């Protein structure tokens, strides 16, 4: 990959990568850091990455960075604090907040798959390349993720 190819990748993929990271991480600053780290990794591995596979490579790196971030205890504590803040008021029961609460309670991989497929409309093959899962695993996990969100919403509505 040349310098010009790298610049082209940055122009083409930064908005999608940022949107994906923001939706999964839930924090704009964290998402910007993840995107920057993705491009740092791409630059370090520019000799190994072809222009045609740069998008998949960037999203794979983002996937790994997000998983690493969510493995830390700090992020888990922050999610529980957000959940406590959102559930305190009875006026906070609109649909969007219920979905956000439900999404905060499911595993990160499920959340990531839902964002990629349902919000960003990536194909199963693209998701397979990004996450390293097989296409059938992606379909099964998406089914489980949707079911988990539905169950969490039903629980939250009864609270």
């Amino acid at each position: 990959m040349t310098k010009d190819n790298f610049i082209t990748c940055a122009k083409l993929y930064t908005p999608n990568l940022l949107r994906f990271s923001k939706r999964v991480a839930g924090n704009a600053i964290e998402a910007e850091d993840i995107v920057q780290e993705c491009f740092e990794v791409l630059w370090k591995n520019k000799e190994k990455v072809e222009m045609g596979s740069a998008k998949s490579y960037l999203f794979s790196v983002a996937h790994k960075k997000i998983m690493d971030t969510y493995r830390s205890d700090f992020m888990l504590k922050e999610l529980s604090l957000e959940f406590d803040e959102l559930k305190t008021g009875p006026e906070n029961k609109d649909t969007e907040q219920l979905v956000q609460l439900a999404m905060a309670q499911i595993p990160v991989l499920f959340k990531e798959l839902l964002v990629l497929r349902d919000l960003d409309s990536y194909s199963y093959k693209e998701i397979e390349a990004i996450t390293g899962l097989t296409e059938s695993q992606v379909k099964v996990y998406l089914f489980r993720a949707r079911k988990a969100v539905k169950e969490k919403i039903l629980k939250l509505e009864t609270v």
Side-chain angles (χ1 to χ4, degrees), residues 17-116:
L17 204 56
L18 189 59
R19 184 175 57 247
F20 166 71
S21 299
K22 197 180 297 182
R23 284 181 176 161
V24 177
N27 179 338
I29 295 170
E30 185 72 30
E32 290 172 1
D33 289 344
I34 290 168
V35 171
Q36 184 174 0
E37 290 174 23
C38 291
F39 281 102
E40 286 176 21
V41 171
L42 177 63
W43 183 253
K44 288 177 185 174
N45 296 302
K46 65 182 180 243
E47 288 83 24
K48 300 175 191 173
V49 180
E50 300 285 328
M51 180 65 178
S53 62
K55 181 178 180 182
S56 296
Y57 184 81
L58 285 166
F59 275 89
S60 295
V61 171
H63 164 73
K64 290 173 185 165
K65 295 286 181 191
I66 290 167
M67 296 302 280
D68 289 346
T69 301
Y70 274 91
R71 284 187 185 118
S72 72
D73 290 337
F74 177 76
M75 289 302 290
L76 292 175
K77 289 177 188 174
E78 194 172 278
L79 282 175
S80 69
L81 287 174
E82 286 178 17
F83 174 72
D84 290 341
E85 287 175 13
L86 286 172
K87 76 176 188 178
T88 55
E91 69 280 352
N92 292 332
K93 293 231 175 189
D94 69 339
T95 306
E96 186 176 333
Q97 287 185 327
L98 284 173
V99 172
Q100 288 175 356
L101 282 171
M103 292 281 284
Q105 295 178 35
I106 63 174
V108 176
L109 179 62
F110 284 4
K111 184 177 182 180
E112 195 172 65
L113 292 173
L114 286 172
V115 168
L116 286 170

Side-chain angles (χ1 to χ4, degrees), residues 140-156:
V140 168
Y141 289 158
L142 272 169
F143 174 79
R144 291 178 183 168
R146 290 175 183 138
K147 184 178 176 184
V149 168
K150 181 179 176 182
E151 290 171 358
K152 298 287 183 191
I153 289 173
L154 291 174
K155 277 186 184 177
L156 290 169

Side-chain angles (χ1 to χ4, degrees), residues 55-56 59-60 116-117 120-133 135 138:
K55 181 178 180 182
S56 296
F59 275 89
S60 295
L116 286 170
R117 181 68 183 165
D120 291 342
S121 302
Y122 281 90
S123 71
Y124 292 115
K125 287 289 183 194
E126 290 173 315
I127 297 171
E128 179 181 359
I130 291 168
T131 61
L133 300 170
E135 188 173 339
V138 170

